[in-house]
Amino acid sequence: MAKVRTGDDRPLAPMRGWQVLHRSVFGLEHAGHRYDVEVLFLDDEARLYTDGRQTARSSLPARFPVPGGRLEVAATTYGLKRMHLVLDDGTTAALRPARGTAERWRAELGHRHPALDRWLARGAVLVLLVGLVVALPALAELVTGIEVVADLLGGSFTSPFALPAPVSTTLTVAGAAAAVERGLTLRNHWLIDLDTSWLD
């Protein structure tokens, strides 16, 4: 985990519509205080606000100590994968996205349309698994194409998938959209998201 540094005591700025592409804010009430965590994706940084004032900052992934536990923050290239309060007894609680954030919009969409929420989640998993099935053989072909590796293994591997450029492009775009969907809902799995996690 990155080292936590002291904050500069500035107030938490409200979310603006155009900031959804590079900023997010989550918060909760705990031990008589309001804690908000601001994530600046382009800076790879998280900032902790206690009762509206910045008290700490850290590179990602971050762990901010709070009374009786810590706030854990982790991100991927496509969004967040962890934003939780973890108490000393192991109990966890998710922080809630602030109004104006893309994560809040996605959560409200899921609340209003639970069936759509399930289909979006399943569709994202399906797209990422298809991408994984295609990407792993391509990676194996690339690695075994190195002369030293091919000599060690007694030959190179040829991927059974030779996708036309339009199909490959469509799969790449769909994979990015699926990764964003999972980032907005803070879903992450070591296998399902393997195809995108190498960028983190």
Side-chain angles (χ1 to χ4, degrees), residues 47-109:
R47 298 173 179 176
L48 175 66
Y49 294 79
T50 305
D51 298 326
R53 311 294 299 190
Q54 188 185 127
T55 52
R57 57 198 299 171
S58 172
S59 299
L60 294 170
R63 275 188 185 167
F64 295 114
V66 295
R70 62 190 182 274
L71 297 173
E72 294 186 353
V73 187
T76 72
T77 302
Y78 296 94
L80 292 166
K81 64 179 178 180
R82 187 156 182 80
M83 183 66 79
H84 285 75
L85 167 67
V86 181
L87 298 179
D88 292 336
D89 64 5
T91 305
T92 63
L95 279 69
R96 285 179 47 82
R99 291 188 182 280
T101 62
E103 292 85 358
R104 179 66 171 259
W105 172 84
R106 178 63 183 84
E108 289 176 349
L109 176 69

Side-chain angles (χ1 to χ4, degrees), residues 124-138 161 163 171-172 174-175 191-192 194-196:
V125 169
L126 179 61
V127 167
L128 290 176
L129 288 176
V130 169
L132 186 63
V133 168
V134 172
L136 287 180
F161 304 110
L163 300 179
L171 187 57
T172 299
L191 177 59
I192 294 171
L194 183 64
D195 189 30
T196 59

Side-chain angles (χ1 to χ4, degrees), residues 102-125:
E103 292 85 358
R104 179 66 171 259
W105 172 84
R106 178 63 183 84
E108 289 176 349
L109 176 69
H111 181 72
R112 291 193 305 268
H113 306 285
L116 176 62
D117 178 64
R118 288 191 297 273
W119 279 108
L120 287 172
R122 292 170 185 164
V125 169

Side-chain angles (χ1 to χ4, degrees), residues 22-25 37-41 45-46 60 73 80 83:
H22 67 87
R23 177 182 182 233
S24 193
V25 178
V37 177
E38 174 187 44
V39 177
L40 303 174
F41 294 106
E45 183 176 74
L60 294 170
V73 187
L80 292 166
M83 183 66 79

